[in-house]
């Protein structure tokens, strides 16, 4: 169901909450400003902290189409913007030749018409057939090379794309643009200047618990509290890759599938692979270290309950 853009920061918080996204005030503010100012939103932060989810939630909550461009090394215009349907064009040429119609100018005009144009995500995002601007997610921009970044400047500045054989296509209703980066490399300042910027960090304990309660309501209250406390403590350890919110939610789901209502050392050892994705990190934390962290967080939870 389509909804109007939020009229205030509080409305933005409510909008995100309606789609079960628990945002802090700073993130809600920059989302609100991005929507009101019509500026792309550049979200940077560790993997698994909810950057991509923002775009999905906005599309869902506002009732808009979500168009996703997943970036990778070697991404080119043909994959991101458009390409011509060469097999169909060849068939058209063969049919024209077979019928004796060899008017080259008319044939060229025909085969390079919109009928043979394959629209990729960036071009799709410039169209709003229902009059509603879609949400365009450009995910993990840091995975592409600088040449593609440079190409994006025209798209993000003027919301237009030039197809040389046709024309310059301008968005009548510019898309809501969310760009994410895991900061595996620095994105150029020229692109950042066209966006509003926000660093998405790990949530504090209270917000992460609220996220778990919103996204995994099936988890028992005590289990959710222990899981969040354990993950928060785990992020303070010397790990190669700390677990994000996505891993927290995965762990809660895994424990629920195992019918666990509380953490115990054996269960933690058996399920560390849900939280940690590198063997060195798992080897460091399993056994006595997991026991130590569990004892620590259980003592803290007990002390908090006795206050």
């Amino acid at each position: 169901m389509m909804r109007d853009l939020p009229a205030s920061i509080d409305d933005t918080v409510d909008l995100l909450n309606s789609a079960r996204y628990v945002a802090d005030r700073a993130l809600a503010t920059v989302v609100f400003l991005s929507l009101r100012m019509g500026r792309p939103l550049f979200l940077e932060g560790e993997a698994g902290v909810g950057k991509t989810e923002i775009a999905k939630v906005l599309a869902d909550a506002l009732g808009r189409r979500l168009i996703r461009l997943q970036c990778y090394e070697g991404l080119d215009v043909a994959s991101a913007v458009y390409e011509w349907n060469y097999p169909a064009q060849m068939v058209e040429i063969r049919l024209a030749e077979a019928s004796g119609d060899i008017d080259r100018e008319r044939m060229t005009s025909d085969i390079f018409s919109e009928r043979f144009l394959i629209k990729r995500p960036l071009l799709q995002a410039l169209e709003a057939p229902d009059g509603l601007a879609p949400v365009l997610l450009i995910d993990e921009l840091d995975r592409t090379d600088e040449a593609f970044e440079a190409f994006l400047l025209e798209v993000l500045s003027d919301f237009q794309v030039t197809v040389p054989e046709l024309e310059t296509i301008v968005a009548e209703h510019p898309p809501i643009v969310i760009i994410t980066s895991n900061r595996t490399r620095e994105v150029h300042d020229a692109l950042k200047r066209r966006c509003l910027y926000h660093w998405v960090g790990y949530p504090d304990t209270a917000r992460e618990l609220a996220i778990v309660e919103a996204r995994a309501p099936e988890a028992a209250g005590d289990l959710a509290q222990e899981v969040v406390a354990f993950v928060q403590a785990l992020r303070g350890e010397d790990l190669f890759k700390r677990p994000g919110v996505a891993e927290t939610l995965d762990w809660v789901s895994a424990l629920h599938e195992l019918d666990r209502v509380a953490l115990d050392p054996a269960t933690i050892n058996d399920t560390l692979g849900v939280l940690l994705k590198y063997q060195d990190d798992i080897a460091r934390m399993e056994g006595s270290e997991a026991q130590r962290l569990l004892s620590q967080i259980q003592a803290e939870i007990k002390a908090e309950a006795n206050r």
Side-chain angles (χ1 to χ4, degrees):
M1 182 180 69
M2 190 272 289
R3 288 180 58 171
D4 293 334
L5 297 183
S8 66
I9 298 171
D10 288 336
D11 283 350
T12 307
V13 172
D14 292 341
L15 180 77
L16 297 174
N17 284 341
S18 71
R20 300 187 301 159
Y21 191 100
V22 182
D24 59 24
R25 188 77 178 177
L27 178 56
T29 299
V30 77
V31 169
F32 168 70
L33 292 174
S34 172
L35 294 174
R36 300 301 294 186
M37 296 167 67
R39 296 279 297 277
L41 177 56
F42 188 96
L43 298 176
E44 208 166 40
E46 299 289 343
V49 292
K51 305 185 298 298
T52 300
E53 195 66 17
I54 278 283
K56 297 178 181 176
V57 163
L58 283 177
D60 182 46
L62 293 172
R64 311 295 181 98
R65 285 186 301 145
L66 174 66
I67 298 173
R68 179 173 185 166
L69 174 62
Q70 179 62 54
C71 297
Y72 54 87
E73 188 176 355
L75 177 64
D76 58 11
V77 172
S79 301
V81 189
Y82 75 92
E83 63 180 323
W84 292 105
N85 188 340
Y86 293 119
Q89 286 175 320
M90 289 304 298
V91 170
E92 189 74 7
I93 292 170
R94 296 284 183 266
L95 289 174
E97 290 174 341
S99 67
D101 184 356
I102 54 175
D103 183 336
R104 296 172 63 89
E105 187 173 340
R106 190 164 63 81
M107 186 182 298
T108 300
S109 175
D110 185 37
I111 63 174
F112 286 108
S113 64
E114 194 166 335
R115 186 158 62 100
F116 295 98
L117 187 66
I118 300 174
K119 299 174 183 177
R120 300 305 187 193
L122 290 184
L123 189 51
Q124 293 173 20
L126 300 184
E127 298 179 331
D130 51 3
L132 292 175
V135 175
L136 170 62
L137 168 63
I138 303 175
D139 209 13
E140 299 184 342
L141 179 63
D142 50 320
R143 290 180 178 272
T144 64
D145 51 37
E146 293 185 0
F148 185 77
E149 257 188 62
F151 173 79
L152 277 181
L153 296 180
E154 179 188 13
V155 179
L156 298 180
S157 294
D158 303 320
F159 295 108
Q160 66 179 36
V161 163
T162 300
V163 182
E165 299 86 350
L166 287 178
E167 59 183 347
T168 296
I169 300 170
V170 183
E172 184 177 353
H173 303 282
I176 297 166
V177 182
I178 306 293
I179 304 171
T180 75
S181 167
N182 293 333
R183 211 176 188 182
T184 56
R185 68 168 178 84
E186 285 293 332
V187 172
H188 200 280
D189 286 348
L191 190 139
K192 286 186 175 180
R193 282 200 303 272
R194 287 159 171 79
C195 308
L196 302 186
Y197 175 88
H198 186 76
W199 174 266
V200 183
Y202 294 113
D204 60 20
T205 301
R207 191 158 72 87
E208 189 158 24
L209 185 57
I211 292 169
V212 169
E213 290 171 347
R215 304 303 291 260
E218 70 279 6
D222 290 345
L223 177 62
Q225 190 176 16
E226 285 191 344
V227 164
V228 169
F230 191 90
V231 172
Q232 291 272 335
L234 199 57
R235 291 186 188 128
E237 299 296 313
D238 182 21
L239 299 174
F240 181 74
K241 176 68 178 70
R242 292 179 289 177
V245 178
E247 282 74 35
T248 303
L249 294 172
D250 283 346
W251 201 29
V252 169
S253 296
L255 295 170
H256 178 70
E257 291 296 328
L258 295 173
D259 295 324
R260 297 295 190 271
V261 295
L263 291 179
D264 61 77
T267 299
I268 292 173
N269 284 333
D270 291 343
T271 57
L272 270 178
V274 181
L275 282 177
L276 304 174
K277 307 302 179 181
Y278 289 86
Q279 177 54 28
D280 288 349
D281 287 343
I282 293 175
R284 184 184 182 289
M285 293 310 306
E286 65 185 354
S288 59
E289 280 300 295
Q291 172 73 66
R292 177 185 64 80
L293 272 192
L294 179 60
S295 299
Q296 173 189 316
I297 64 111
Q298 287 177 333
E300 291 171 354
I301 291 172
K302 185 177 180 181
E304 182 67 25
N306 292 332
R307 285 182 183 176

